[in-house]
Structure formats: C-alpha cells, structure tokens
Amino acid sequence: MIKSNIKLLVLSFLLLISLRPLQSAEMVEPIKVDWSFKGLTGTFDRAALQRGFQVYKEVCASCHSMQYLSYRNLGEPGGPEFSEQEVKAIAASFEIEDGPDSQGEMFTRPGKPSDKFKSPYPNVQAATAANGGAYPPDMSVLVKARKGGANYIYSVLVGYEDPPPGVTLDDGVYYNKYMTGNKIKMPNNLMDGLVEYADGTESTVDQMAKDVTTFLAWAAEPELEERHRTGVKVIIYLVLLTILVYLSMKKIWSRIDSEV
Amino acid sequence: MSKEEKKVNRRDFLFTASYTVGAVGVGAVIWPMIDQMNPDKAQQALATTEVDISSIEPGKSITVLWRGKPIFIKKRTSEEIAEARAVKLDDLPDPQKDEDRVKEGKDEWLVMLGVCTHLGCVPLKDKGDFNGWFCPCHGSHYDVSGRIRKGPAPTNMEIPKFEFVDSNTIKIG
Amino acid sequence: MSEHEYTPKSKAGKWFNDRLPLLTLGAHLTDYPTPKNLNYWWTFGGILTFCLITQIVTGIVLAMHYVAHADLAFASVEHIMRDVNYGWLIRYIHSNGASMFFLAVYIHIFRSLFYGSYKSPREVIWIIGLMIYLLMMAAAFMGYVLPWGQMSFWGATVITNLFSAIPLVGDSITTWLWGAYSVDNPTLNRFFSLHYLIPFLILGLVVLHIWALHVPGNNNPVGIDIKKPSKDTVPFHPYITIKDAFALLVFMIIFAGFVFFTPNVLGHSDNYIPANPLVTPAHIVPEWYLLPFYAILRSVPDKLGGVILMFSAIFILFVLPWLDTSKVRSAVFRPIYRQFFWILVIDVLMLGYVGAMPAEGIYLVLARVGTIYYFLHFIVVMPVVGYLEKTDPIPMSISEPVLTGGAEPSLARKANDKV
C-alpha cells in the first residue's frame, strides 16, 4: 500500500520534471566533452594542464586575472605539477609589486612561488574601463561559477560564429552560439597555431580550448584529485562498517524477534 | 566447544569488529579537525625572506620580520667578536662557541631569532651586564653572541637557517 | 524520570550521583523503554542529532579561518578551499551538511504527519520541533550569506526585504536589520554572529525536544499507547542504538557521495561570483529546502499578502494538533486521510519544483493550485476527514496485532468503539 503510493509519488514527480525543457528552449546546451577529470576516479591530464597554463599565460592573462591562485600551486600535487625549478622560473618571469620598503616606497621585484598570480589590471574598474565596459571575470573559480561548468567554458571558446540574419551587433560585441544571450564582448582570441606548445602538440583551436578549460577546471577545484581519492576510500570504509553494523543489528534483534 | 558457546563467540567477534572499525573511522575524522589548525599552505610558502644588509654599519644592528618573529642582524666590530670568543665555555649555562653561531668567513654577521628563550619576549639591544641583549620581561642577560649568561632563560637565542645569497643579501629560512 | 531507582555500583559513582545524578540520567537513556515496532522512519531523530553536531563542529573549525568582512569574506572562503589543511573537506561537509540536515528534518516532519506523532499527548514535542525548524531556516539562510557571493548578497537582499512589506514600520525594520542602507558589511557581520549563535539555541531546544519526548514516550507505527516497560518495548540500548547506527551509516554514505563527488550540485553556481551590488543574477532562487515557501510567496500578486501567506504556511503547523480531529493517530488505520497525506507530499514537492522555476505561465498556475491545496489540507481536510472518516480496526497491542489483548490502549479502545 505504501509502496504503490510511493510509485505514484515518483511518477508524478517525473511528470513535473519533464515539463522542464519547455522553459529553457532559447539556450543551447553546451557541448558534452569526455573530460578526464569526470567521474568518481577522474584525474587531470598533467600535459593538458601544463599546455592549458601556457594558453592562459600567453592569451587569457592579458585581460583575465586569477587572483586566488599562487605560483606555488603550479607545483603542488594534483595540479600541473611543474618541477620546483620550473615554478621558480615561472614566478620569476613576472614583476611583482612589493613594499613598502624601509623608505616607504613601493618597488617591484621578480615573483616568488608564494606570490599570487599577477593581475593584468589594478582593480575591477580599471579592467572594465580597458575592455569596453565589460569586466573580464576573474578566472580562479570560473568553472564553478558557470552553470554547465567546464563544458560551458569550452563551448563558449569554440562557439563563435557569424550572427544569424536579423541579428545586429554593436561594435565590440560578438556572436557566440553558447554564450547566455548569445552576445559576448570577448573577441574570438583563439586561432590555429596561436601558441607554440612546448611538448609539440599541434595547437588547433579545439586543442587549446580543451587544454585551457582543463587548466581552469583545476584552478577552480585544485582539491579534485585528492577529493576523488579520499571519497573512494571513505565510501568503501562506510560500506564495510555498514555491513558489520547491519550484521550486529540482526544478531541483537534476533533475541527479540524470536520471542514474538 | 558447545554450540551455544560458538554462537556467543561469533557474536562477540562481530561486535568487536564493528567497534574497532568504527573507532578507526572516528580517528580518521578527528585528524583533519586537528590538522586544520596547523600552519596552512600559504603560511608554509612564506617561509623565506631576503634581506639587504649593505647599509648596516659595524656595531649596529637591524631587526627584520620573519614568520611573524623578529630577526636580529648585527654587524659586529672586531672588538665585539674578540670579546665573544674570549669567554670560557665553562662560564656558559648553554655552552656554545661563538664560531658555531656565525657563518665561517662572515664572522662579523650575527643573525639570530630575537626571541628570549624563556617565554618569548623580544630582548632589548645594548643592554644588560654582558654588552649584548637584555630581556625586560624576566631579566635574562645575553652576551654579544646572543648566548644566555644570567637569568631564567634556559638556552642561547636561536640561530635560524640562513645563507648569504651575495655579499649584500642574506636569505633567511 | 526513571521508573526504577538506579544506584551506581561503585562508591565514587554513588558519591557523584548523589550530587549530580548524571549516571541516573545515563541509565535512564540506556534503559528507556522504546516501542519495539519502530521502523526506519524513526531513525531520523538520531540522524538529525548527528547532523547538528557535524554542523557545529565543522562550523567552529570554519570560523577559525573565515573573515566576516565584505572585502575579505569571499577571499577567505577561497583561502579555506585552497590553503587550509583539509579546508575543502570541512567546508564541503558544512555546506552539504546543511542540505542533508534539511533532508533529514523533512523526512522527520513527514513521518510525524503520517503517524500522528504531533497528536495528544505530544503537542509540546511537535511545537518545540517546529521552533527548531524555524531556527534551522534562519541559520541556513544566514550561513548562505557568509561566502559573500552573488547568491549570498541577493538572497540576503530579497529575504530582508520581506520585512519591508510590514505597513508603516517595514522600511525602518529593514534598515535596522541591515545596519546600513542596503545589505552591506554591517549586515554580514551581524549575520555571522547570529549564525554562530543559533546552532547552540537549537542544541538547547533539542534537549527540551528529547526531554518532552521521554515524558509520554515514543509514538509508534501502530499509533497506540503502550505500557512501558512491557512485551511491547525494548531498552533503547542496544536495540535502538544499533538500528540508529545502521541507518546513520546508510545516510552517511549518501552524505559522503555528495561531499566527495558532487559537492556543488546542491548549491548555485552564481555564488562563486563575488557579491556585486550593481548586478542581480538572472534567476534568484533560494536553496532547495526553502523552495516550497518561495513558491507560496510568489503565488500571491501582492507584496504584503505573499509575505503573510508564506509565514502562515509555517505557523499553521503550530496549531496542527488542534486542527486534526481524528481520534486515531496512525495513518495506517486511516484509509481516507492516508490518501490526502500523499497528496500533501506531492503538493509540497511540486511547490518546491515550481519555486525553482520562473514565476510565469504554467508554473504560476501550479504554484497557486499548490498553495491553495496546502492550506486546504490543514484547514479543511484535517478537521473534516477526522470527523467523517471510518477508520480501520486497531490492534490492542504491538505484540498481539489482533483486536483482543491484555494491554490497555485507551485510545485504541475508543477508536474501536467507533468502528
């Protein structure tokens, strides 16, 4: 009796959920990519992370900040895992403002691994003003901050096309199939061969978009690999303990059940 | 063993196993709650500081901050070095040679953690009975090598890990 | 409290117990006679205790690293996620823990509704429970503000603006709540303070909730009064503790699934965008556990009316024990009410669903229908069905599920007379 009621409940709920597509017709679903970091045991592709960092550094970083990351993160386990020397060299290639010194003056010095990623603009207002009134969002947690996550970011990167007839665009506005509202102020910055990958991978637009998206997914969730690893262990442990406790429960209750 | 006893044994085993596995889990959960109070990754990464020492006159010292604590960097005169080395080890509560507290060939540079080993106050320079430092909190006297000479502090002031990057710069940590 | 006098075995134990009878309390809790037919829906009390303790412990840890300042809050959360040892784990347990807490509390409440646990003599337990539920909503709402993302900021703006619907003094009250002329740093600071306070108020109420429960004893699936201790009861330990432990572990597996594999699925992606007072996100929705009330709010085209109706939806539950006129507790023996119970469950789920959708077209219609039924259920269905319903025969005791028996379930006898 309760079972049939629950069935009814589930059915009516499914019916409700099926109404959903009615409403989101205008938005194009992002492309589904089979990322290596998906799934219960997903991990990042180190080579893709290192290439993705290169794309970020050479292309994105001129407008987008990543203020919550530090150069040291690039060498930490679960990330691009550059060697200690490489991390130091990467950090040192940036001029970081520091100070005040003993004279009270600010000064610049080569970056250290403990420094945060250098931002291209001093503040949001400067970034907005320099980019035609549209703030290039900080990319530290961008993948978590967008519905659709990595798929959405990747889709937008490869989703530029000519506007359909009837759609007019202002100067500095571009048409993108996957962007919410289809209008984007970021120009299509990726073209084949734009960066020269250190590992010799051919830098097609698709490759670069995938690599930089992988990098951003890691930047947003640097704990992902540890989280997946720990999660598998925790679940196995809990299942084991659940079985033990279940058997103990049966034993204890057998004293009562036999009396009834 | 009777059938009844066997049953009891199996039951005991089950309960013991449940308790043991459960206790392991509780332990595993407690560790993150404790470890979160340890220095975080950002703190650990800030472990080195570089200091420009070119402007320090002989006989003078500067104080810099390293890991939230003062570091005394003193350029000692040759008289001061001689005085530090003339002390007999037997007179010291915590016997240590001055040579062991400086880098060889850079004997004039004393780099030490400016924290009294008694209860953590910062000693005052050029004070006390031994021409070195004096801790105002509980009256510990340190000599020109930063060694404890009189008072409640148990050990000499600590020498941190440091190195000369070049003749004008030292890296602490 | 205990039926039989308890004397500690050791001398030291006796000395202490004479001065503070903690050991007597412990013995009472251990031996507490519990109906032996409690099903798994009854394990959620223990699960909720676990949830509360988990939230308090992880919350205290997070407060050691979090900075309650509008300029630093978002960054400090990222600091917790990236740098603090196990910070990501502790924060994800806390944020998903809130959802798990509400999941458990909703099952707990609906269990009470199905088996009539709110009925005499357990009205006070029910009312204390509702107060806990109200405080939980306040704590969850203020906790959601703390990361200072877009949803934090705009959720706080929308919810505090509810008070501006109050005639005459509404605006003054809203400004007073904010401590500024919009949701701002003073608001964040006081929300943090209150968010830290409320769980301890809840803890106090939980003690009262359990105390009030131990006066009449547990209700049970059959809903009849039982003699205790008797053949119908088992001591709380080990029988109920082991069953609660098993259910808790199953619950923890689901909990761990969220924490480790989909930690953000119950949240909203916009909350990873730092708060911006100049831009409102396209879809403002509260966390899932508040959606049914949000749907009720939006179903009324009048500001004050919507707010009144939303608060009424909660406060009507306080008088539920007196709206229900049935002499029989458990819906197991109430064939008509049982159908309405499931309609209510579907109704609340539907309200929750439309609460997440834009307030237009079919969703608005569904929200209105759902709201009307919600109130009809309590105001009309419960009193009327209670009077008219022909209930099924009720057993005289748990161990003898037939209509004869030696126990004296006064309630059952009355109901049987009616049959």
Side-chain angles (χ1 to χ4, degrees):
Chain A
M1 153 199 73
I2 288 183
K3 261 188 193 144
S4 70
N5 277 318
I6 289 178
K7 231 183 257 169
L8 185 76
L9 197 77
V10 171
L11 273 177
S12 48
F13 197 65
L14 285 178
L15 192 77
L16 265 171
I17 302 275
S18 63
L19 290 171
R20 198 182 194 118
L22 287 178
Q23 163 277 321
S24 51
E26 89 228 45
M27 217 188 119
V28 184
E29 282 292 310
I31 305 164
K32 285 202 171 67
V33 181
D34 193 21
W35 303 105
S36 68
F37 49 86
K38 274 201 327 192
L40 300 191
T41 54
T43 52
F44 292 111
D45 175 352
R46 302 276 164 251
L49 282 179
Q50 298 201 353
R51 289 194 302 267
F53 172 68
Q54 193 182 344
V55 176
Y56 154 73
K57 192 177 140 187
E58 292 178 17
V59 186
C60 320
S62 55
C63 297
H64 289 275
S65 61
M66 286 186 95
Q67 55 177 322
Y68 299 116
L69 273 83
S70 305
Y71 296 114
R72 65 186 159 82
N73 296 140
L74 296 169
E76 283 167 3
E81 296 186 2
F82 285 106
S83 70
E84 201 186 326
Q85 289 316 311
E86 286 170 317
V87 172
K88 278 188 179 158
I90 290 168
S93 70
F94 293 91
E95 284 293 309
I96 304 289
E97 189 177 51
D98 200 349
D101 61 14
S102 49
Q103 307 303 312
E105 304 289 331
M106 300 304 279
F107 59 93
T108 59
R109 54 162 175 79
K112 291 189 280 197
S114 60
D115 287 320
K116 296 267 189 230
F117 275 25
K118 190 182 177 178
S119 295
Y121 302 103
N123 50 51
V124 172
Q125 285 77 2
T128 310
N131 286 281
Y135 169 61
D138 184 86
M139 298 204 300
S140 312
V141 283
L142 196 65
V143 169
K144 283 202 281 193
R146 292 292 180 275
K147 220 175 149 201
N151 285 338
Y152 174 77
I153 304 287
Y154 166 78
S155 301
V156 167
L157 286 175
V158 299
Y160 286 90
E161 46 182 52
D162 292 331
V167 175
T168 50
L169 298 169
D170 294 339
D171 267 359
V173 177
Y174 306 89
Y175 188 84
N176 192 303
K177 200 162 113 190
Y178 298 101
M179 180 79 182
T180 318
N182 296 133
K183 287 179 183 170
I184 186 168
K185 287 206 164 179
M186 176 173 81
N188 184 6
N189 287 314
L190 295 180
M191 350 167 210
D192 287 339
L194 182 66
V195 300
E196 199 169 314
Y197 278 137
D199 65 1
T201 308
E202 199 190 336
S203 58
T204 60
V205 167
D206 188 69
Q207 184 68 41
M208 287 186 289
K210 277 192 176 129
D211 289 344
V212 81
T213 304
T214 306
F215 175 71
L216 292 178
W218 163 77
E221 299 189 287
E223 85 295 344
L224 180 134
E225 290 190 8
E226 190 190 356
R227 177 156 58 76
H228 284 177
R229 263 198 319 273
T230 317
V232 169
K233 281 186 222 153
V234 167
I235 301 264
I236 290 173
Y237 165 81
L238 283 174
V239 168
L240 182 76
L241 184 60
T242 307
I243 293 169
L244 280 174
V245 168
Y246 177 77
L247 294 174
S248 302
M249 180 178 74
K250 284 284 146 197
K251 273 267 178 265
I252 289 172
W253 276 86
S254 67
R255 299 174 204 165
I256 297 296
D257 294 340
S258 58
E259 283 170 27
V260 179
Chain B
M1 204 187 266
S2 77
K3 209 178 163 188
E4 193 59 26
E5 275 175 324
K6 245 186 206 159
K7 217 174 159 186
V8 167
N9 276 345
R10 214 179 118 203
R11 179 183 283 177
D12 284 350
F13 167 75
L14 207 54
F15 295 165
T16 314
S18 302
Y19 276 123
T20 315
V21 175
V24 169
V26 171
V29 168
I30 286 174
W31 172 243
M33 301 294 159
I34 294 169
D35 192 35
Q36 54 87 16
M37 282 172 72
N38 276 321
D40 60 50
K41 285 190 215 150
Q43 290 288 333
Q44 291 166 20
L46 290 172
T48 65
T49 304
E50 287 189 9
V51 186
D52 178 10
I53 51 169
S54 57
S55 57
I56 305 173
E57 299 292 332
K60 299 286 175 197
S61 67
I62 62 165
T63 306
V64 296
L65 202 66
W66 175 68
R67 283 188 172 178
K69 288 179 191 161
I71 296 285
F72 295 157
I73 302 173
K74 183 175 172 99
K75 189 173 192 179
R76 303 184 296 181
T77 59
S78 44
E79 297 86 56
E80 285 173 326
I81 298 170
E83 183 193 331
R85 297 192 173 175
V87 180
K88 271 189 279 177
L89 283 186
D90 292 347
D91 295 344
L92 296 171
D94 178 19
Q96 192 180 19
K97 282 203 252 176
D98 182 64
E99 287 88 336
D100 296 340
R101 295 175 60 80
V102 294
K103 294 264 186 266
E104 207 181 334
K106 301 270 188 187
D107 297 327
E108 70 272 33
W109 291 106
L110 178 66
V111 179
M112 70 181 176
L113 201 55
V115 175
C116 178
T117 56
H118 181 221
L119 290 170
C121 298
V122 178
L124 305 169
K125 65 180 172 185
D126 306 326
K127 288 259 165 61
D129 301 347
F130 299 91
N131 205 12
W133 286 266
F134 170 70
C135 182
C137 289
H138 306 94
S140 293
H141 299 256
Y142 296 89
D143 67 13
V144 75
S145 186
R147 294 173 296 197
I148 181 66
R149 300 295 290 274
K150 200 169 97 182
T155 56
N156 304 331
M157 277 196 268
E158 200 182 316
I159 306 293
K161 186 173 162 261
F162 73 98
E163 62 187 66
F164 286 85
V165 178
D166 53 55
S167 57
N168 286 331
T169 316
I170 56 170
K171 190 173 110 184
I172 304 164
Chain C
M1 271 165 93
S2 188
E3 285 78 12
H4 51 94
E5 212 44 55
Y6 167 81
T7 328
K9 283 189 195 88
S10 73
K11 229 175 165 181
K14 193 173 177 312
W15 180 90
F16 183 80
N17 202 50
D18 286 346
R19 281 145 187 86
L20 180 67
L22 268 188
L23 296 170
T24 305
L25 178 65
H28 162 77
L29 293 175
T30 318
D31 302 339
Y32 172 64
T34 317
K36 68 177 182 186
N37 62 335
L38 296 187
N39 55 33
Y40 284 109
W41 300 113
W42 258 268
T43 58
F44 283 87
I47 287 171
L48 284 161
T49 312
F50 163 80
C51 287
L52 178 61
I53 293 167
T54 305
Q55 291 305 89
I56 289 180
V57 170
T58 53
I60 289 171
V61 166
L62 289 172
M64 293 181 188
H65 305 281
Y66 170 77
V67 183
H69 188 285
D71 295 339
L72 302 170
F74 192 89
S76 75
V77 171
E78 278 310 308
H79 166 70
I80 290 169
M81 293 300 287
R82 290 163 193 277
D83 293 336
V84 173
N85 304 319
Y86 297 102
W88 61 268
L89 175 63
I90 293 160
R91 173 165 178 259
Y92 276 154
I93 291 175
H94 196 73
S95 60
N96 286 286
S99 282
M100 299 307 288
F101 206 155
F102 275 97
L103 176 68
V105 92
Y106 281 127
I107 294 174
H108 196 63
I109 291 172
F110 275 106
R111 188 270 288 152
S112 177
L113 283 175
F114 187 84
Y115 294 109
S117 302
Y118 52 86
K119 289 163 76 73
S120 171
R122 298 186 181 82
E123 300 95 323
V124 173
I125 311 175
W126 169 255
I127 287 169
I128 293 172
L130 287 173
M131 288 160 72
I132 293 172
Y133 173 55
L134 277 177
L135 284 177
M136 276 175 66
M137 288 199 280
F141 158 66
M142 290 194 243
Y144 198 55
V145 174
L146 302 184
W148 210 240
Q150 274 290 65
M151 277 294 161
S152 302
F153 184 90
W154 292 102
T157 302
V158 168
I159 300 290
T160 49
N161 265 314
L162 291 179
F163 293 93
S164 71
I166 302 169
L168 300 174
V169 291
D171 284 333
S172 313
I173 290 180
T174 311
T175 310
W176 174 76
L177 285 173
W178 289 337
Y181 297 97
S182 66
V183 172
D184 208 335
N185 192 50
T187 325
L188 176 61
N189 261 283
R190 62 192 59 183
F191 277 18
F192 179 54
S193 172
L194 294 172
H195 181 70
Y196 207 123
L197 165 73
I198 291 174
F200 296 96
L201 298 181
I202 293 178
L203 191 63
L205 284 175
V206 165
V207 171
L208 295 182
H209 192 61
I210 296 172
W211 186 2
L213 168 71
H214 280 225
V215 176
N218 284 74
N219 184 26
N220 64 77
V222 186
I224 55 173
D225 288 337
I226 50 165
K227 224 187 191 168
K228 11 166 237 181
S230 72
K231 271 206 296 186
D232 289 344
T233 65
V234 291
F236 192 79
H237 182 75
Y239 295 97
I240 304 299
T241 40
I242 189 78
K243 197 167 177 172
D244 279 0
F246 169 67
L248 175 61
L249 281 164
V250 174
F251 182 81
M252 283 167 81
I253 291 174
I254 300 167
F255 194 164
F258 278 112
V259 167
F260 291 104
F261 299 112
T262 54
N264 291 306
V265 77
L266 296 170
H268 200 290
S269 50
D270 278 345
N271 220 28
Y272 281 104
I273 302 171
N276 180 355
L278 301 177
V279 183
T280 310
H283 296 290
I284 286 275
V285 283
E287 292 288 81
W288 68 267
Y289 39 80
L290 302 176
L291 287 172
F293 299 110
Y294 194 58
I296 292 175
L297 170 77
R298 295 193 307 181
S299 70
V300 186
D302 176 69
K303 184 171 173 179
L304 181 60
V307 174
I308 289 176
L309 211 61
M310 184 181 74
F311 282 107
S312 308
I314 301 167
F315 285 109
I316 198 168
L317 297 172
F318 280 85
V319 292
L320 185 62
W322 297 276
L323 287 173
D324 185 354
T325 53
S326 175
K327 297 247 173 355
V328 176
R329 284 205 193 94
S330 173
V332 172
F333 306 106
R334 302 182 60 190
I336 311 291
Y337 170 72
R338 198 163 62 223
Q339 305 303 326
F340 282 108
F341 170 83
W342 288 111
I343 293 173
L344 180 72
V345 173
I346 293 167
D347 185 58
V348 171
L349 286 176
M350 183 190 78
L351 282 174
Y353 176 74
V354 298
M357 294 292 127
E360 58 196 29
I362 178 82
Y363 298 114
L364 197 57
V365 176
L366 286 174
R368 286 181 178 158
V369 172
T371 304
I372 291 168
Y373 180 75
Y374 182 88
F375 285 99
L376 279 183
H377 181 91
F378 294 111
I379 298 172
V380 179
V381 172
M382 290 200 95
V384 173
V385 170
Y387 272 120
L388 301 180
E389 187 175 33
K390 186 176 180 301
T391 53
D392 294 339
I394 291 180
M396 300 298 266
S397 84
I398 293 170
S399 31
E400 292 157 85
V402 279
L403 293 175
T404 57
E408 36 169 70
S410 54
L411 221 87
R413 190 161 293 152
K414 261 185 239 156
N416 281 330
D417 292 347
K418 215 173 146 195
V419 173

